[in-house]
Amino acid sequence: MADRGRGSAPRGARGGSTRGGRGTPISSGAALDKPKREAILDLSKYVNERIRVKFTGGREVTGMLKGYDQLLNLVLDEVEEEILEPQIHKRALGLVVLRGPTITLLSPVDGSEEIENPFLAPE
């Protein structure tokens, strides 16, 4: 095929100095200028503390928080799963990695207590 006045680069080649093919130069400091996003939850105060985690689907585990990331993926040690059906009992799981998107509730075991529902209409 004949070259149609698009320069001497071979067909399909892409230059490294532009972004998106629009001729806009890539600035090396553009990614560095953005402020760092802060995490919604500060889990650092719960590291090496026992926490309770509930998942979509109803599963519930308790364990010692060993690590986490910005996606709320968690690493727990000494994990026990509470199985509610057909009768309540616990199953030891050991060291586990929990995926953040499946977590619906996260709470410390120590320092929390169950209260009555304040929105329940009095009878």
Side-chain angles (χ1 to χ4, degrees), residues 46 49-52 106-112:
Y46 298 114
E49 298 287 331
R50 291 196 62 80
I51 61 170
R52 179 180 319 276
L106 181 68
S107 69
V109 171
D110 299 330
S112 63

Side-chain angles (χ1 to χ4, degrees), residues 71-87:
L71 300 174
L72 204 62
N73 297 316
L74 306 177
V75 177
L76 269 63
D77 197 9
E78 303 170 15
V79 176
E80 291 182 337
E81 179 182 12
E82 294 181 16
I83 301 172
L84 304 176
E85 293 178 7
Q87 58 193 0

Side-chain angles (χ1 to χ4, degrees), residues 53-121:
V53 180
K54 290 187 181 182
F55 300 95
T56 56
R59 285 189 161 182
E60 184 174 333
V61 297
T62 59
M64 185 87 56
L65 180 64
K66 293 297 182 180
Y68 62 94
D69 65 7
Q70 68 272 15
L71 300 174
L72 204 62
N73 297 316
L74 306 177
V75 177
L76 269 63
D77 197 9
E78 303 170 15
V79 176
E80 291 182 337
E81 179 182 12
E82 294 181 16
I83 301 172
L84 304 176
E85 293 178 7
Q87 58 193 0
I88 299 174
H89 66 282
K90 292 186 178 186
R91 178 173 70 163
L93 299 176
L95 182 70
V96 298
V97 176
L98 310 176
R99 290 196 58 229
T102 62
I103 295 172
T104 58
L105 182 124
L106 181 68
S107 69
V109 171
D110 299 330
S112 63
E113 60 185 47
E114 189 172 337
I115 63 170
E116 290 184 38
N117 185 350
F119 302 106
L120 191 62

